[in-house]
Amino acid sequence: MAAALLALVAGCQTISGDVKESGFQPSNNPVTVDNVSRNDRMAELAKSQHPRILATYGGEYSDPKLERMVAKVVGNLTTVSGNPTQAYRITILNSPNVNAFALPGGYLYVTRGLLALANDSAELAAVIAHEMGHVTANHGVQRQQKEAEEVLATKVVTDVLGESPTAKAALIRGKLRLAQFSRNQELEADAVGIKASGQAGFDPYAAGRFLQSMAAYSDFRSVTGATDPSLDFLASHPNTPQRIELAQRHARLVGPPGFGVRDRDSFLTGIDGMLYGDTPEEGYVRGSTFLHPGLGISFTVPSGFVIDNSAAAVTASGPGDMAIRFDGVTIDRKLSLSHYLRSGWVAGLEADSVRAETINGNEAATATARADGWQFGITVVREGEQVYRLLTAAPLASTSLASVSRSVSDSFHVLTPDEKAALKPLRIRVVTVQPGQTIGTLAANMVGVDRKLDLFRVLNGLAPGAAVSAGDKVKIVTDK
C-alpha cells in the first residue's frame, strides 16, 4: 500500500494564471497515467496497486467542482516540478481518513478527510508538493529495494508459523513498516515540497499551519476515537513540535511571513458541500447511535462509549477496557439462532447460557462466553435474510458486562420508513460569520457530531483563544 501523509511545503511568487486546467484533469479514468507508464517498471507496479487503493479507501469521490479546485493546485505545482516531464493524475479518495500519498508514475491521492481539514489552497499545495517530492526523489525505488531485502524474512515467518494469527500479525506489521517512508525521506520530501510550492506562488508557511492542524486532529481523535488509524497519516507521521519548527525554518528560506498566496476563497468554494464522515453505504454514527439506511437497522451504545465505523465492522470502545463489535452474516434460514450460537464460531461459549428470545419483534438469541482473560456477551438477531451479531467484551474482573450487553441488544431495532427517510449524510458547508456570531454559536449549528466546539476549532485551524469576526468564512458540519 502507499505511504501515509505528512508535512508539507511552501510558497513564493504569485500563482500562475495561465495554467490550463484541462491539462491536469483529475482521474477521469485513473487506472492509467498517460505518457508516463510505458516501459516504466515502477509505474506499472503502481498501476497494479491502484485498484487496491480504491478498495481500501472507499473508491473515488466524484465532485467536478472539487476536482477542478484540486486540479488547479496540482497544475500550478507541476510548472515548478523537479521533474518537468513527469505527468500526474490526481484521485480524490472517498474516505474520511486524513491522508495523501503518491506512487511512482505520477499517481497522486488525497482523501476528502484531508480536504476537510485543510483551510486554503496553500495548505493543500503543501501536502501535494510533499508527496510529489517523494516521487521526484525516487523514494519509491528505495522502498522497493527495502521490500526485496525482506522477502526472505517473510518466507521464514510463513514457513515457521504457517497461517496462524501470529504469522498474519507479523506479516501485517512488516507490510505497515514497508509502507512507510523513513524519517529522513519524509524530511527530504518536506524540504523539496516547501521549496516547490513556494516557487509556485503559494504561502510557504502553509506547511507549518497544516502540521498544527494535524496535531490538533490527532489530539481530538485520541479522545473521540474515530476512523481506522492505520489508514491515515498518524500511522507513520508523528507530529512533533520539532517537525513544525523545521517546516517554519524551510518557509523562512523561501520568504518572510506574508509572502505567497493562500487562495482561501477558491479552496472553500471547492469543498463547500463535500461529504463529511461516513458514507450512506457504511451507515452513520450519530452520537452514541449507529444507523444504517441500507440495512435498515440501528443500535445504541451506552454513554461513555465511542463508536468507530469501518468497512469490516462497527466497533465501540468504552470505560473499563470494554468493547463492542457489530457485524452481519448470512446463514441458512432453517438454522435456529440458538443452534447457530452453538455451531462453533464462539470460542469459550458457555453452552448452558444460550437463550432464544425476541428483541423488538425480531427473532434473537443470547449467550455468554469466557476466553483468554475476557468475558463476552453475545447477541444475534435475525432480520430478513441477514443475521446481525452484537458482541460485548469485558475483562473477567468487570461487573458491567451483563448490563452493557443487555443495553446494546435491547436498543437494536429495525428502522421505520420515516426514520430511514430522515437520515441524510453530513457535509462540509462554508458559511459567512454574521455580526454577533461567535465560535460557540457557530459550533452549535453543527449536527451529527460530538464535541462540536472542539471539532469546529480543529476544522477551521483555530487555536485555543482564537475568535472569529463578522465576514469571515468558516466550515461547519451539517446534514443540510
Side-chain angles (χ1 to χ4, degrees):
M1 196 160 62
L5 133 313
L6 176 205
L8 323 12
V9 7
C12 191
Q13 311 126 6
T14 58
I15 292 182
S16 169
D18 59 356
V19 176
K20 294 181 179 179
E21 292 181 13
S22 61
F24 309 101
Q25 287 300 314
S27 60
N28 293 324
N29 181 16
V31 176
T32 62
V33 176
D34 299 336
N35 302 323
V36 295
S37 60
R38 292 194 187 106
N39 302 317
D40 184 333
R41 187 170 59 88
M42 290 301 292
E44 288 297 325
L45 208 60
K47 177 180 176 180
S48 70
Q49 293 299 313
H50 179 80
R52 298 181 187 178
I53 290 172
L54 291 183
T56 302
Y57 285 89
E60 189 175 355
Y61 185 72
S62 179
D63 178 341
K65 175 171 64 73
L66 182 64
E67 291 173 350
R68 285 193 297 271
M69 181 273 290
V70 175
K72 181 181 177 183
V73 172
V74 175
N76 278 284
L77 290 172
T78 57
T79 64
V80 295
S81 170
N83 180 3
T85 64
Q86 175 71 67
Y88 290 92
R89 182 66 61 88
I90 183 80
T91 299
I92 301 172
L93 297 169
N94 190 16
S95 170
N97 293 278
V98 176
N99 207 348
F101 44 86
L103 297 182
Y107 286 87
L108 295 174
Y109 301 88
V110 60
T111 62
R112 58 176 171 80
L114 185 142
L115 295 173
L117 186 61
N119 273 285
D120 54 46
S121 295
E123 291 185 10
L124 176 59
V127 173
I128 293 176
H130 169 93
E131 300 306 331
M132 291 169 71
H134 281 306
V135 175
T136 301
N138 286 321
H139 289 162
V141 175
Q142 296 169 23
R143 187 171 63 195
Q144 190 191 40
Q145 292 169 347
K146 182 181 175 184
E147 289 173 351
E149 293 169 1
E150 296 216 1
V151 167
L152 180 60
T154 298
K155 188 176 186 304
V156 169
V157 170
T158 305
D159 289 347
V160 173
L161 300 178
E163 291 300 310
S164 71
T166 304
K168 291 180 179 178
L171 292 176
I172 289 171
R173 285 194 297 271
K175 288 178 180 177
L176 282 175
R177 285 196 301 271
L178 292 174
Q180 300 167 3
F181 290 113
S182 72
R183 179 172 177 81
N184 285 340
Q185 287 175 329
E186 293 295 354
L187 293 175
E188 183 181 359
D190 286 353
V192 171
I194 287 174
K195 181 180 179 181
S197 68
Q199 290 174 337
F202 292 106
D203 172 15
Y205 296 86
R209 287 200 308 275
F210 194 69
L211 278 171
Q212 293 281 10
S213 290
M214 290 197 296
Y217 168 81
S218 173
D219 292 341
F220 178 83
R221 201 186 67 174
S222 69
V223 175
T224 64
T227 49
D228 186 346
S230 70
L231 298 182
D232 65 29
F233 66 87
L234 295 178
S236 63
H237 291 82
N239 251 324
T240 63
Q242 291 83 359
R243 182 155 204 153
I244 295 172
E245 170 55 29
L246 192 58
Q248 300 284 33
R249 252 188 281 165
H250 284 307
R252 286 193 289 271
L253 294 175
V254 175
F259 187 76
V261 300
R262 297 189 178 187
D263 195 26
R264 177 172 165 81
D265 284 349
S266 74
F267 177 85
L268 293 179
T269 298
I271 67 169
D272 188 27
M274 181 180 67
L275 192 66
Y276 179 83
D278 300 321
T279 66
E281 293 75 21
E282 295 169 334
Y284 303 128
V285 176
R286 298 291 185 266
S288 58
T289 299
F290 174 77
L291 310 100
H292 199 298
L295 300 176
I297 56 90
S298 170
F299 69 89
T300 300
V301 299
S303 175
F305 281 75
V306 176
I307 300 175
D308 179 15
N309 182 20
S310 72
V314 181
T315 58
S317 56
D321 290 330
M322 296 190 71
I324 298 164
R325 176 187 168 96
F326 168 83
D327 63 11
V329 294
T330 302
I331 66 172
D332 190 331
R333 288 280 302 180
K334 298 176 183 177
L335 181 66
S336 75
L337 294 183
S338 294
H339 280 91
Y340 172 60
L341 282 173
R342 295 188 177 101
S343 63
W345 64 275
V346 180
L349 177 73
E350 298 176 322
D352 59 355
S353 70
V354 177
R355 299 283 185 277
E357 57 180 277
T358 299
I359 295 178
N360 293 322
N362 289 83
E363 177 192 354
T366 61
T368 57
R370 290 176 175 245
D372 298 328
W374 292 85
Q375 53 179 329
F376 304 89
I378 305 111
T379 299
V380 290
V381 186
R382 178 172 269 140
E383 163 57 18
E385 298 298 317
Q386 196 78 357
V387 170
Y388 297 104
R389 307 187 296 191
L390 290 156
L391 288 79
T392 304
L396 282 178
S398 174
T399 59
S400 302
L401 176 68
S403 61
V404 171
S405 180
R406 189 76 252 179
S407 170
V408 175
S409 59
D410 284 351
S411 73
F412 181 93
H413 77 282
V414 177
L415 296 174
T416 67
D418 286 345
E419 286 176 320
K420 285 196 283 187
L423 281 176
K424 298 177 182 177
L426 299 180
R427 297 187 181 277
I428 292 288
R429 293 295 182 190
V430 177
V431 299
T432 301
V433 180
Q434 302 300 312
Q437 286 187 313
T438 65
I439 288 177
T441 59
L442 289 162
N445 290 330
M446 302 210 297
V447 300
V449 294
D450 291 328
R451 297 177 61 211
K452 296 179 180 180
L453 186 60
D454 292 337
L455 181 59
F456 180 86
R457 289 186 179 278
V458 169
L459 288 179
N460 289 285
L462 297 171
V468 293
S469 303
D472 288 349
K473 291 183 178 179
V474 294
K475 296 177 285 184
I476 64 170
V477 176
T478 178
D479 60 359
K480 295 180 175 58

PDB file of all heavy atoms in Angstrom, residues 362-380:
ATOM      1  N   ASN A 362     -37.997  -8.991  16.649  1.00  0.00           N
ATOM      2  CA  ASN A 362     -37.126  -9.825  15.813  1.00  0.00           C
ATOM      3  C   ASN A 362     -36.667 -11.067  16.566  1.00  0.00           C
ATOM      4  O   ASN A 362     -36.367 -11.010  17.765  1.00  0.00           O
ATOM      5  CB  ASN A 362     -35.888  -9.040  15.367  1.00  0.00           C
ATOM      6  CG  ASN A 362     -36.209  -7.980  14.345  1.00  0.00           C
ATOM      7  OD1 ASN A 362     -36.625  -6.888  14.695  1.00  0.00           O
ATOM      8  ND2 ASN A 362     -36.043  -8.306  13.077  1.00  0.00           N
ATOM      9  N   GLU A 363     -36.578 -12.198  15.835  1.00  0.00           N
ATOM     10  CA  GLU A 363     -36.023 -13.417  16.406  1.00  0.00           C
ATOM     11  C   GLU A 363     -34.589 -13.151  16.849  1.00  0.00           C
ATOM     12  O   GLU A 363     -33.798 -12.538  16.121  1.00  0.00           O
ATOM     13  CB  GLU A 363     -36.050 -14.544  15.364  1.00  0.00           C
ATOM     14  CG  GLU A 363     -35.427 -15.842  15.855  1.00  0.00           C
ATOM     15  CD  GLU A 363     -35.203 -16.848  14.731  1.00  0.00           C
ATOM     16  OE1 GLU A 363     -35.635 -16.590  13.585  1.00  0.00           O
ATOM     17  OE2 GLU A 363     -34.559 -17.889  14.998  1.00  0.00           O
ATOM     18  N   ALA A 364     -34.245 -13.625  18.041  1.00  0.00           N
ATOM     19  CA  ALA A 364     -32.906 -13.354  18.568  1.00  0.00           C
ATOM     20  C   ALA A 364     -32.472 -14.499  19.479  1.00  0.00           C
ATOM     21  O   ALA A 364     -33.277 -15.366  19.851  1.00  0.00           O
ATOM     22  CB  ALA A 364     -32.881 -12.029  19.323  1.00  0.00           C
ATOM     23  N   ALA A 365     -31.191 -14.492  19.834  1.00  0.00           N
ATOM     24  CA  ALA A 365     -30.658 -15.436  20.813  1.00  0.00           C
ATOM     25  C   ALA A 365     -29.470 -14.771  21.498  1.00  0.00           C
ATOM     26  O   ALA A 365     -28.759 -13.960  20.890  1.00  0.00           O
ATOM     27  CB  ALA A 365     -30.238 -16.749  20.148  1.00  0.00           C
ATOM     28  N   THR A 366     -29.269 -15.122  22.772  1.00  0.00           N
ATOM     29  CA  THR A 366     -28.160 -14.537  23.533  1.00  0.00           C
ATOM     30  C   THR A 366     -27.353 -15.643  24.189  1.00  0.00           C
ATOM     31  O   THR A 366     -27.833 -16.777  24.371  1.00  0.00           O
ATOM     32  CB  THR A 366     -28.665 -13.574  24.613  1.00  0.00           C
ATOM     33  OG1 THR A 366     -29.492 -14.310  25.536  1.00  0.00           O
ATOM     34  CG2 THR A 366     -29.474 -12.438  23.993  1.00  0.00           C
ATOM     35  N   ALA A 367     -26.107 -15.308  24.548  1.00  0.00           N
ATOM     36  CA  ALA A 367     -25.250 -16.272  25.239  1.00  0.00           C
ATOM     37  C   ALA A 367     -24.089 -15.515  25.869  1.00  0.00           C
ATOM     38  O   ALA A 367     -23.878 -14.320  25.602  1.00  0.00           O
ATOM     39  CB  ALA A 367     -24.731 -17.335  24.271  1.00  0.00           C
ATOM     40  N   THR A 368     -23.324 -16.210  26.692  1.00  0.00           N
ATOM     41  CA  THR A 368     -22.092 -15.652  27.258  1.00  0.00           C
ATOM     42  C   THR A 368     -20.944 -16.606  26.947  1.00  0.00           C
ATOM     43  O   THR A 368     -21.142 -17.786  26.641  1.00  0.00           O
ATOM     44  CB  THR A 368     -22.203 -15.454  28.777  1.00  0.00           C
ATOM     45  OG1 THR A 368     -22.528 -16.715  29.392  1.00  0.00           O
ATOM     46  CG2 THR A 368     -23.277 -14.430  29.108  1.00  0.00           C
ATOM     47  N   ALA A 369     -19.721 -16.072  27.039  1.00  0.00           N
ATOM     48  CA  ALA A 369     -18.529 -16.876  26.775  1.00  0.00           C
ATOM     49  C   ALA A 369     -17.379 -16.338  27.607  1.00  0.00           C
ATOM     50  O   ALA A 369     -17.402 -15.180  28.055  1.00  0.00           O
ATOM     51  CB  ALA A 369     -18.178 -16.857  25.288  1.00  0.00           C
ATOM     52  N   ARG A 370     -16.368 -17.187  27.795  1.00  0.00           N
ATOM     53  CA  ARG A 370     -15.147 -16.787  28.513  1.00  0.00           C
ATOM     54  C   ARG A 370     -13.952 -17.358  27.774  1.00  0.00           C
ATOM     55  O   ARG A 370     -13.955 -18.538  27.416  1.00  0.00           O
ATOM     56  CB  ARG A 370     -15.148 -17.296  29.958  1.00  0.00           C
ATOM     57  CG  ARG A 370     -16.147 -16.600  30.850  1.00  0.00           C
ATOM     58  CD  ARG A 370     -16.178 -17.211  32.238  1.00  0.00           C
ATOM     59  NE  ARG A 370     -17.068 -16.461  33.114  1.00  0.00           N
ATOM     60  CZ  ARG A 370     -16.678 -15.767  34.192  1.00  0.00           C
ATOM     61  NH1 ARG A 370     -15.395 -15.761  34.530  1.00  0.00           N
ATOM     62  NH2 ARG A 370     -17.550 -15.121  34.925  1.00  0.00           N
ATOM     63  N   ALA A 371     -12.925 -16.514  27.570  1.00  0.00           N
ATOM     64  CA  ALA A 371     -11.715 -16.981  26.892  1.00  0.00           C
ATOM     65  C   ALA A 371     -10.590 -15.985  27.097  1.00  0.00           C
ATOM     66  O   ALA A 371     -10.802 -14.762  26.990  1.00  0.00           O
ATOM     67  CB  ALA A 371     -11.975 -17.167  25.396  1.00  0.00           C
ATOM     68  N   ASP A 372      -9.393 -16.489  27.403  1.00  0.00           N
ATOM     69  CA  ASP A 372      -8.169 -15.685  27.458  1.00  0.00           C
ATOM     70  C   ASP A 372      -8.301 -14.437  28.325  1.00  0.00           C
ATOM     71  O   ASP A 372      -7.897 -13.343  27.934  1.00  0.00           O
ATOM     72  CB  ASP A 372      -7.754 -15.272  26.040  1.00  0.00           C
ATOM     73  CG  ASP A 372      -7.436 -16.462  25.160  1.00  0.00           C
ATOM     74  OD1 ASP A 372      -6.945 -17.469  25.695  1.00  0.00           O
ATOM     75  OD2 ASP A 372      -7.709 -16.383  23.947  1.00  0.00           O
ATOM     76  N   GLY A 373      -8.870 -14.572  29.492  1.00  0.00           N
ATOM     77  CA  GLY A 373      -8.948 -13.444  30.414  1.00  0.00           C
ATOM     78  C   GLY A 373     -10.086 -12.478  30.132  1.00  0.00           C
ATOM     79  O   GLY A 373     -10.154 -11.412  30.741  1.00  0.00           O
ATOM     80  N   TRP A 374     -10.979 -12.840  29.215  1.00  0.00           N
ATOM     81  CA  TRP A 374     -12.100 -11.974  28.856  1.00  0.00           C
ATOM     82  C   TRP A 374     -13.423 -12.704  29.009  1.00  0.00           C
ATOM     83  O   TRP A 374     -13.486 -13.929  28.907  1.00  0.00           O
ATOM     84  CB  TRP A 374     -11.954 -11.502  27.406  1.00  0.00           C
ATOM     85  CG  TRP A 374     -10.807 -10.565  27.208  1.00  0.00           C
ATOM     86  CD1 TRP A 374      -9.505 -10.906  26.978  1.00  0.00           C
ATOM     87  CD2 TRP A 374     -10.842  -9.143  27.250  1.00  0.00           C
ATOM     88  NE1 TRP A 374      -8.722  -9.782  26.869  1.00  0.00           N
ATOM     89  CE2 TRP A 374      -9.523  -8.675  27.023  1.00  0.00           C
ATOM     90  CE3 TRP A 374     -11.852  -8.206  27.439  1.00  0.00           C
ATOM     91  CZ2 TRP A 374      -9.198  -7.318  26.993  1.00  0.00           C
ATOM     92  CZ3 TRP A 374     -11.545  -6.858  27.402  1.00  0.00           C
ATOM     93  CH2 TRP A 374     -10.219  -6.432  27.196  1.00  0.00           C
ATOM     94  N   GLN A 375     -14.457 -11.926  29.228  1.00  0.00           N
ATOM     95  CA  GLN A 375     -15.815 -12.456  29.222  1.00  0.00           C
ATOM     96  C   GLN A 375     -16.609 -11.735  28.142  1.00  0.00           C
ATOM     97  O   GLN A 375     -16.349 -10.562  27.843  1.00  0.00           O
ATOM     98  CB  GLN A 375     -16.479 -12.277  30.585  1.00  0.00           C
ATOM     99  CG  GLN A 375     -16.430 -10.841  31.118  1.00  0.00           C
ATOM    100  CD  GLN A 375     -17.110 -10.693  32.467  1.00  0.00           C
ATOM    101  OE1 GLN A 375     -18.060 -11.396  32.763  1.00  0.00           O
ATOM    102  NE2 GLN A 375     -16.610  -9.761  33.286  1.00  0.00           N
ATOM    103  N   PHE A 376     -17.545 -12.446  27.535  1.00  0.00           N
ATOM    104  CA  PHE A 376     -18.260 -11.904  26.390  1.00  0.00           C
ATOM    105  C   PHE A 376     -19.761 -12.078  26.538  1.00  0.00           C
ATOM    106  O   PHE A 376     -20.233 -13.108  27.031  1.00  0.00           O
ATOM    107  CB  PHE A 376     -17.817 -12.611  25.096  1.00  0.00           C
ATOM    108  CG  PHE A 376     -16.345 -12.551  24.839  1.00  0.00           C
ATOM    109  CD1 PHE A 376     -15.505 -13.535  25.334  1.00  0.00           C
ATOM    110  CD2 PHE A 376     -15.796 -11.509  24.105  1.00  0.00           C
ATOM    111  CE1 PHE A 376     -14.137 -13.487  25.103  1.00  0.00           C
ATOM    112  CE2 PHE A 376     -14.433 -11.454  23.873  1.00  0.00           C
ATOM    113  CZ  PHE A 376     -13.600 -12.446  24.367  1.00  0.00           C
ATOM    114  N   GLY A 377     -20.490 -11.086  26.071  1.00  0.00           N
ATOM    115  CA  GLY A 377     -21.934 -11.191  25.927  1.00  0.00           C
ATOM    116  C   GLY A 377     -22.242 -11.181  24.438  1.00  0.00           C
ATOM    117  O   GLY A 377     -21.787 -10.281  23.723  1.00  0.00           O
ATOM    118  N   ILE A 378     -22.945 -12.194  23.959  1.00  0.00           N
ATOM    119  CA  ILE A 378     -23.206 -12.327  22.523  1.00  0.00           C
ATOM    120  C   ILE A 378     -24.704 -12.280  22.270  1.00  0.00           C
ATOM    121  O   ILE A 378     -25.477 -12.993  22.938  1.00  0.00           O
ATOM    122  CB  ILE A 378     -22.639 -13.654  21.962  1.00  0.00           C
ATOM    123  CG1 ILE A 378     -21.150 -13.785  22.281  1.00  0.00           C
ATOM    124  CG2 ILE A 378     -22.855 -13.733  20.458  1.00  0.00           C
ATOM    125  CD1 ILE A 378     -20.833 -14.846  23.278  1.00  0.00           C
ATOM    126  N   THR A 379     -25.108 -11.455  21.311  1.00  0.00           N
ATOM    127  CA  THR A 379     -26.498 -11.393  20.885  1.00  0.00           C
ATOM    128  C   THR A 379     -26.539 -11.521  19.370  1.00  0.00           C
ATOM    129  O   THR A 379     -25.770 -10.842  18.675  1.00  0.00           O
ATOM    130  CB  THR A 379     -27.159 -10.070  21.296  1.00  0.00           C
ATOM    131  OG1 THR A 379     -27.133  -9.947  22.719  1.00  0.00           O
ATOM    132  CG2 THR A 379     -28.603 -10.008  20.812  1.00  0.00           C
ATOM    133  N   VAL A 380     -27.396 -12.380  18.858  1.00  0.00           N
ATOM    134  CA  VAL A 380     -27.605 -12.481  17.416  1.00  0.00           C
ATOM    135  C   VAL A 380     -29.076 -12.214  17.134  1.00  0.00           C
ATOM    136  O   VAL A 380     -29.958 -12.687  17.865  1.00  0.00           O
ATOM    137  CB  VAL A 380     -27.181 -13.866  16.869  1.00  0.00           C
ATOM    138  CG1 VAL A 380     -25.669 -14.011  16.917  1.00  0.00           C
ATOM    139  CG2 VAL A 380     -27.841 -14.994  17.623  1.00  0.00           C
TER     140      VAL A 380
END
